[in-house]
Amino acid sequence: MDELAPKLAVLRALAEDEHVTHAAAAVGVPQPTVSRWLAAMGESLGSPLVVRSGRRVRLTRAGRLLASAADRALAVFEAGHRAAVEEVDPSRGLVALGFLHLLGRALVPEFVRGFREEHPHVRFRLVQDSRQILLSHLEDGVVDLALVAPPPEGAAYEHAVVRTQELVLVLPPGHRLAGRDAVEVAELADEEFVGLERGYGLRQITDDLCAAAGFVPRLAFEGQETETVRGLVAAGLGVALLPHAEGPTGLVELPLSPGARREIALVWLADVPLPPAVRAFRDHVRNA
């Protein structure tokens, strides 16, 4: 493995930046050594891995296939190395946590702060994105755990619901429904909506609630942040279904009838062993 790992790293570096000098520097070996490795691997394969393209090189089809395999192999090796290091000293592990943008204000800091009181040396890598992308990151090993809503279905995932939020209808002042005590979703069939883009959990919930009421919502504007959505509602550009605001907004929030809620869940892959630090954080969140 001592001889193979640097060669795999060279192939991965070349896939990212088709430059032999840069690849050699990234791996920490002399450029002539990298050139010899590439030539020897190409000879063994019976096809060159790179061809010259000006001052750079270009991976051949065979080279790209091998580089892709090298990337996957190194990812497995690096994950195993990390798990072994953390097994020896779990108090100094790393937790890669993905979460929805809205959860970064209070919920994620609450979980991380409470955990680090007991595990002060555990490090965190935090990734914010949409529900769909976070689940993809989970499958690709970019994150260990993801906080998303609603929880995903399927045997590939395990999850624990950690919070439940009421969803409300958000309206600008002066809207025809602003004086109501509650609103049925079916009454919104003729309204224009503003909401999050497809791939976000709130968008899925909005679409599902409207479908259950017998209509498809007309999305006038789509965004990636709930505060942007609130701003569009304030401008009179539509209505939205959102969790309660954490502070004053100047907007009207009305309960839905029947009530609607979303579940926020901590998610991990069912068949992938979690490193000790990640297991400890998962258990902390589940019990918080």
Side-chain angles (χ1 to χ4, degrees):
M1 186 67 187
D2 290 343
E3 294 182 359
L4 182 58
K7 296 176 182 178
L8 296 177
V10 163
L11 288 170
R12 180 163 68 177
L14 284 173
E16 296 174 356
D17 178 7
E18 295 181 320
H19 197 293
V20 174
T21 301
H22 296 170
V27 179
V29 297
Q31 179 179 332
T33 300
V34 170
S35 297
R36 286 198 303 272
W37 285 351
L38 292 172
M41 284 188 286
E43 184 176 346
S44 174
L45 190 63
S47 172
L49 302 185
V50 297
V51 293
R52 284 286 174 187
S53 179
R55 299 180 63 183
R56 308 175 74 88
V57 295
R58 178 172 54 81
L59 284 169
T60 63
R61 175 172 172 76
R64 289 205 168 276
L65 289 171
L66 203 57
S68 177
D71 185 54
R72 294 193 300 273
L74 282 172
V76 172
F77 176 77
E78 289 163 355
H81 181 268
R82 172 186 160 195
V85 168
E86 292 185 15
E87 194 67 43
V88 174
D89 187 6
S91 67
R92 297 181 180 275
L94 170 70
V95 177
L97 175 66
F99 56 94
L100 304 174
H101 293 279
L102 183 63
L103 305 181
R105 295 183 176 179
L107 191 60
V108 170
E110 172 191 335
F111 288 148
V112 172
R113 181 174 58 250
F115 181 74
R116 282 178 60 86
E117 288 176 359
E118 300 294 329
H119 305 81
H121 300 298
V122 171
R123 296 173 294 119
F124 281 82
R125 183 169 70 244
L126 302 177
V127 179
Q128 294 176 280
D129 222 307
S130 70
R131 176 182 183 273
Q132 182 176 322
I133 292 177
L134 290 175
L135 293 177
S136 294
H137 283 340
L138 196 61
E139 294 170 2
D140 295 339
V142 177
V143 298
D144 304 306
L145 304 165
L147 281 164
V148 300
E153 298 178 351
Y157 305 103
E158 292 185 18
H159 73 269
V161 175
V162 297
R163 291 291 187 276
T164 300
Q165 293 180 322
E166 182 186 14
L167 296 182
V168 295
L169 175 64
V170 182
L171 305 168
H175 189 278
R176 66 180 181 87
L177 298 172
R180 299 276 294 276
D181 293 330
V183 175
E184 295 184 9
V185 176
E187 298 179 74
L188 306 175
D190 294 329
E191 296 286 340
E192 288 196 326
F193 283 72
V194 293
L196 299 179
E197 297 174 353
R198 293 190 183 278
Y200 285 81
L202 273 174
R203 173 60 181 275
Q204 178 183 329
I205 293 172
T206 297
D207 289 346
D208 290 347
L209 287 171
C210 293
F215 70 96
V216 176
R218 291 183 292 129
L219 268 290
F221 295 91
E222 298 175 312
Q224 297 181 341
E225 296 274 358
T226 55
E227 289 312 300
T228 300
V229 171
R230 293 186 197 278
L232 294 170
V233 172
L237 299 176
V239 304
L241 302 182
L242 296 172
H244 283 289
E246 296 177 359
T249 63
L251 298 173
V252 177
E253 293 187 351
L254 297 178
L256 295 169
S257 177
R261 289 170 173 77
R262 75 166 182 170
E263 294 181 329
I264 299 171
L266 184 70
V267 184
W268 59 95
L269 294 180
D271 297 327
V272 176
L274 297 178
V278 177
R279 289 201 308 270
F281 181 72
R282 178 199 61 185
D283 295 342
H284 167 79
V285 172
R286 287 198 295 190
N287 297 324

